[in-house]
Amino acid sequence: RTDSVILASIDVKTGSTVLFSLPRNLQNVPFKDGSPLAKLYPNGFTNGTPNNAEYFLNAVYRNVPALHPGVLGRTDNEGADAVKLAVEGATGLPVDYYVLVNLDGFARLVNVMGGITVNINEPIPMGGNTDLHIPPKKYLQPGPNRTLNGNQALWFTRGRYGSTDYKRMARQRCAINAIVQKASPVLMLRKYIALANASKDIVRTDIPAKLLHAFADLAGKVKGKPIKSVGFERSAKFDPNEPDFAYLRTAVQAALHPTHHTRSHTAKVPSEASDTKADCAYHPVAQ
């Protein structure tokens, strides 16, 4: 299951980037208008039973190919293409490409870079199972400018014991910001190609090989700009269990074009774009 779904909207002329984090438990996700999946699921991805985890956003990747094999026609990865259609339907933005990195692949990427540096504001569990009440045996300890290896970075982005999905979503955006700040685009392009060629089970993408050098150039532009973030967290204005997708799309547009949208209460809460560097600064949580 794709427990982390983040859409990066990048201005290819300037490198300005906004990251949109969608909750893994987002329900009734609409697929792109006119797509075969939109016809199959006119009321969004649901079987009519509320809170059915087999129809959350994170289940699209596995369950669409299982339920409707071949529905999207010719595709190298039906699950990934289904997720792209779901993200397009939810956000109203076109999704050109995907990059899918599994847990082992993420840890390897971070190790290839020589680690990433993040601020840790509260203990982050390494392991544990909230549902089974099994506590973690180890925590990443709070501190500024902590350099994490691949395994530590993996738990920084996925540790959830005693915490929430929304805090995890925020840390995932911080990890992406740290990767952007650390990575040399040319170096990462070489390493990425080698890693991708090593195993499709580690990294998969539909970015054409002929565009990889263009993406390396674009990465240089992204590196020079502050990254903005929007996390669609549960609030008085937004509920992943009963999501208002018109509201979500309005918030997306307000984040991308702030000068074209009045800062109305509706557009501002909870999804006004914020500076990822500021969000990820060291501001320890009192224990």
Side-chain angles (χ1 to χ4, degrees), residues 5 10 17 24 27 51 61 66 80 118 126 196 213 230 255 259-260 272-273 284:
V5 178
I10 306 173
T17 301
R24 68 179 182 87
Q27 297 192 44
N51 302 316
Y61 182 83
V118 298
M126 298 181 70
H213 286 284
V230 175
T259 59
H260 298 162
E272 184 179 37

Side-chain angles (χ1 to χ4, degrees), residues 81-101:
D81 284 335
V83 174
K84 287 170 65 175
L85 293 173
V87 173
E88 285 198 40
T91 64
L93 296 180
V95 180
D96 297 300
Y97 307 109
Y98 79 88
V99 176
L100 177 72
V101 184

Side-chain angles (χ1 to χ4, degrees), residues 11 21 27-28 31 61 72 86 88 134 153 170 190 205 216 222 229 243 252 270:
D11 186 319
S21 293
Q27 297 192 44
N28 306 315
F31 292 101
Y61 182 83
L72 298 181
E88 285 198 40
I134 300 174
R190 292 200 303 266
T205 184
V222 171
S229 291
V252 166

